[in-house]
Structure formats: C-alpha cells, structure tokens
Amino acid sequence: TPATELIVRNITERKEVERTLREAKEAADSANRAKSQFLATMSHELRTPLTSIIGYAELLNRALTPIANDEVMHDLRRIQVAGAHLLAIINDVLDLSKIEAGHMQVHPAPVRLDKLVQAVVDTVQPVIVRNTNQLLVQGLDDAGLMVTDEVHVRQILLNLLSNAGKFTTNGQITLRISGTPEMVYFAVHDTGIGIHPEQAKQLFRDFVQVDASTTRKYGGTGLGLALSRRLARLLGGDITLESALGEGSTFTLSLPRTMALAEGDVAMPSGE
Ligand code: ADP
C-alpha cells in the first residue's frame, strides 16, 4: 500500500542520514587524530635542533662573557631568551597534542600532599619573589594523601602559581589546600591585576592571552591554562576561576582524592 511504501521510504531516508552523519563523524575524528599526530611528531622533531641552538648559545655566552662588549652579550642573551620561549611553546604543544591523541600517560600512585606542595613551592618561589610578592600556604597539616599522577599535578600547580606570581606585584599569593574524603581542592589566590569576566572563559582556550604584549614581557605561551585544564580533566578533575578586575583571581584545581582509572587504562605494576 502507499502508506507502507511511505514508511519504508522514511526509514530508508533516515538510515541514509544516519549513515552520512556517522561517516562525517568518523572522518572528523580521523582528521583530528591525524592533526594531533602531526603536531606531536613535528614538535618532537623541532626539539632536537632547538636544544642544540640553546646549548650552543649557552656555550658562547660562557666563552664570550670575559671578552665581548655589552652589545654582543645583549644580543646573545636575546637568542637565549627567544630559544627558551620557543622551547616552552613546543613543549606545551607536544603535551596538548599528546592529550588530544589520547597518548598522554597517566600513572596514579599514592602521593603525600605536604611533600608535593613543598616541591612545587620550592620551584616557583623565584617567580613569586621577583615581583616582591609573599607566598602563603594553608591547610597542609592535615592534607593527607591522595592517589593521582604527581607529575601532572605538579605541572598544573606550577602553572597556576607562576601565573599568580607573574600577574601580581607587591601582593599576596595564597595556596590553600582543603578536601573531603572524595575530593582535594587546591585554591591559588592572588591579589593581582584580576581578569575581566568576559575574558575569563576564553583564557582556557589555546594561545589566548588577555594582553598580547604580556607575551613579550613575561615570556608566556598562552597555552598554560589550556594545558592545565586538559591535564586536570585527564585526572578526573577540573579547574575553575573566580576573579574581579583589579582585585585578584582565584584558580581552583579540584581533583578526586583517588583517581579512577579510565576504561581501557591499564594499571602498571610498579617498576614498569
Ligand atoms: P601564559 O603563558 O600567557 O601565562 P596561560 O594560559 O597560563 O598563558 O594564561 C593565559 C592568560 O591568562 C595570561 O596571558 C593572562 O592574560 C591571563 N592570566 C592567567 N593567570 C592570571 C592571573 N593569576 N591573574 C591575571 N591574569 C591571568
């Protein structure tokens, strides 16, 4: 009957549409994987010659310091600064593409929070002090343990704290640890320049900086927050931001106290 014919045609058309959508999605996924793979390979390949440039600039610096004039030393210093900046960008792109391609390794293990925080604070102290800021750590005494990937957590905290140090002058930076049996919160508060609400959402996107001139001033990449948020999500958590322009910002990293292994992950025996 015509009615049955219509139903059959409808179903056929719907199947056709579904198949086209599925194929388009598969093509997009595959293109994305190819893009991430290309970026990962390229950034890896760029690192080798760049490391050589940085190494030789350092050697020249040492050799020339006793004999060269200020102008030469100044130019050489610029090569070193630009080299370090480029390496930071390449490393961030490499990490981002690894996450996108699903190749970023995660090794959860028991971590003592006081030790983790102390290591981060020791590393970031110079950036904080450079702008005559004070760093205060709260809530460490009863912070306890968590099971997570320590390397990734350190990287996120270093990023948030060095940002706080970069965008604050003569101020106070506070790292407050708190938690529940399920969650651990790391709140990084600063009394710095603050962020406009309109801009707050954009900052977690790749290569976004509020003021492009800060790149030259601070040598940032605009990738730090994008990478930090992706890492936080990889560990089952997230980063949120509260800020008021001219008053300061609080970036909060929240992580599950015990990281769940994602489907398909294999728990590596220790010593692997
Ligand atoms: P960058 O390498 O430029 O620091 P990020 O992704 O870490 O890249 O940060 C992106 C931008 O977000 C910064 O360039 C800055 O404009 C803004 N930002 C980040 N942290 C802060 C902060 N604590 N206070 C004010 N602005 C910040």
Side-chain angles (χ1 to χ4, degrees), residues 96 99 156 159-160 200-205 223-241 251-253 255:
L96 276 171
I99 297 177
I156 300 168
N159 232 321
L160 298 181
K201 275 191 231 106
Q202 311 292 328
L203 291 185
F204 291 95
R205 296 181 26 201
L223 287 171
L225 287 175
L227 181 57
S228 296
R229 174 169 269 176
R230 284 214 197 44
L231 283 173
R233 291 184 175 167
L234 197 65
L235 302 180
D238 208 347
I239 299 177
T240 53
L241 163 61
F251 287 85
T252 304
L253 165 67
L255 291 175

Side-chain angles (χ1 to χ4, degrees), residues 163 166-167 190 193 195 203 208-210 220-222 224-225 249 251:
N163 274 349
K166 280 193 315 194
F167 298 106
D190 67 61
I193 62 173
I195 295 157
L203 291 185
V208 172
Q209 296 178 314
V210 169
T221 64
L225 287 175
S249 317
F251 287 85

Side-chain angles (χ1 to χ4, degrees), residues 76-135:
L76 191 50
R77 190 70 210 133
R78 289 181 87 133
I79 295 177
Q80 292 185 285
V81 169
H85 186 200
L86 187 52
L87 186 61
I89 296 176
I90 289 174
N91 282 336
D92 282 358
V93 170
L94 184 60
D95 280 355
L96 276 171
S97 52
K98 265 196 217 159
I99 297 177
E100 296 286 294
H103 290 158
M104 183 61 101
Q105 304 248 356
V106 176
H107 298 291
V111 180
R112 270 185 59 172
L113 279 169
D114 54 354
K115 290 221 165 130
L116 181 148
V117 168
Q118 193 55 53
V120 171
V121 165
D122 289 345
T123 312
V124 86
Q125 198 73 40
V127 185
I128 309 270
V129 176
R130 194 161 59 213
N131 284 341
T132 53
N133 294 305
Q134 283 199 327
L135 175 63

